[in-house]
Amino acid sequence: MKKKIQRLLDEIESEYRYTRGMTGKASLDPRVKAALSDTPRDKFVPQGSIDSAFDNNPLSIGYGQTISQPYIVALMTDLLALEAEDVVLEIGTGSGYQAAILSQLCNQVYSIEYVEALAATARARFEKLGYDNIEIMAGNGFDGWPEHAPYDGIIVTAAATQIPPPLIEQLKPGGRMVIPVGRPYSHQELKLVEKNRDGDISIKDILGVVFVPFQGERYE
Ligand code: SAH
């Protein structure tokens, strides 16, 4: 198990070096690396995929959804540049793996999942594994989760055709959002959205990616 995680971390590091020209990240943040190394990905995948749990690949989790590729989980987490006291919103709980990583790097994670059965499974998983600073809501993440806003970090793990305006609103000044934007199953761009202290927004393209589609978008 330790060997498998080490191999996975080595692969992520090598992919970081390979993509540094696009992402501006030459190596994994040591804190993100520690969180990856402490998170048992085999506990977040279906029984039949346990042998592939530490491969640097996305895997099916049912309902047409996937647990993201570990390299992408690492990169998105890294881009959020979290501090210990931060509060983070995730859209797309899925297996809960990304939320589990985030929970070790910040104070509280709120995560919204569209598929009720996935939300229930992830909730049970967090309880069993002892992650006690993650709260899950089943619903449409398009509207964010206003009760706990504003957020220091927002991470969206399904590809939207545009950036949902409620999420920009719920970002704290000084906060960051990482979100894949593009058409379903076609070119998508991972974007880093930053809100500065004055509330101005800047958006950077980071990397071409492939994510499952964001459900229930409702732009005016
Ligand atoms: N972060 C997840 C990746 C899951 S894949 C993990 O670590 O496993 C993306 C997830 O986004 C899917 O579970 C999908 O059901 C969910 N999703 C899609 N549209 C959504 C929406 N509008 N609100 C909340 N979740 C959504």
Side-chain angles (χ1 to χ4, degrees), residues 65-66 90 92-95 98 112-114 140-141 157 214-215:
Q65 307 305 327
T66 54
E90 178 189 35
T93 317
S95 67
Q98 172 75 73
I112 307 177
E113 171 54 49
Y114 200 74
N140 186 351
T157 67
F214 195 104
Q215 307 291 331

Side-chain angles (χ1 to χ4, degrees), residues 136-178:
I136 299 179
M137 171 168 80
N140 186 351
F142 186 88
D143 303 314
W145 196 335
E147 288 85 341
H148 305 293
Y151 300 97
D152 302 283
I154 299 181
I155 178 169
V156 181
T157 67
T161 58
Q162 298 174 44
I163 303 171
L167 300 184
I168 294 185
E169 258 162 54
Q170 290 171 34
L171 197 57
K172 198 183 270 184
R176 292 155 169 253
M177 165 160 47
V178 185

Side-chain angles (χ1 to χ4, degrees), residues 6-216:
Q6 190 51 53
R7 198 193 58 199
L8 175 58
L9 291 172
D10 290 346
E11 279 178 31
I12 295 173
E13 287 283 14
S14 111
E15 203 155 344
Y16 259 64
R17 286 193 293 275
Y18 183 68
T19 53
R20 67 188 292 181
M22 287 172 277
T23 64
K25 299 253 173 214
S27 70
L28 255 173
D29 178 303
R31 289 174 309 160
V32 176
K33 189 170 188 165
L36 284 162
S37 138
D38 291 344
T39 309
R41 193 167 183 258
D42 55 325
K43 302 283 196 302
F44 292 82
V45 303
Q47 203 68 29
S49 300
I50 287 187
D51 287 349
S52 326
F54 295 100
D55 294 350
N56 188 22
N57 288 320
L59 291 167
S60 169
I61 54 170
Y63 308 92
Q65 307 305 327
T66 54
I67 176 172
S68 305
Q69 182 192 18
Y71 157 72
I72 290 290
V73 171
L75 180 64
M76 290 174 84
T77 307
D78 218 333
L79 290 167
L80 285 177
L82 297 174
E83 306 281 349
E85 66 278 7
D86 284 356
V87 177
V88 175
L89 174 67
E90 178 189 35
I91 312 301
T93 317
S95 67
Y97 179 70
Q98 172 75 73
I101 302 273
L102 295 169
S103 75
Q104 297 164 65
L105 299 166
C106 70
N107 185 40
Q108 177 70 38
V109 178
Y110 295 98
S111 185
I112 307 177
E113 171 54 49
Y114 200 74
V115 178
E116 227 173 293
L118 287 174
T121 306
R123 202 177 279 126
R125 195 168 267 154
F126 293 147
E127 201 157 303
K128 186 165 170 208
L129 298 174
Y131 295 99
D132 58 6
N133 60 341
I134 309 171
E135 199 179 319
I136 299 179
M137 171 168 80
N140 186 351
F142 186 88
D143 303 314
W145 196 335
E147 288 85 341
H148 305 293
Y151 300 97
D152 302 283
I154 299 181
I155 178 169
V156 181
T157 67
T161 58
Q162 298 174 44
I163 303 171
L167 300 184
I168 294 185
E169 258 162 54
Q170 290 171 34
L171 197 57
K172 198 183 270 184
R176 292 155 169 253
M177 165 160 47
V178 185
I179 177 171
V181 178
R183 297 269 150 206
Y185 306 109
S186 118
H187 180 80
Q188 300 164 3
E189 191 71 32
L190 186 64
K191 293 182 187 274
L192 175 64
V193 180
E194 293 179 272
K195 189 184 264 190
N196 74 13
R197 303 272 163 206
D198 298 327
D200 299 327
I201 299 294
S202 65
I203 302 177
K204 255 189 246 154
D205 283 0
I206 304 290
L207 191 70
V209 289
V210 184
F211 275 83
V212 297
F214 195 104
Q215 307 291 331

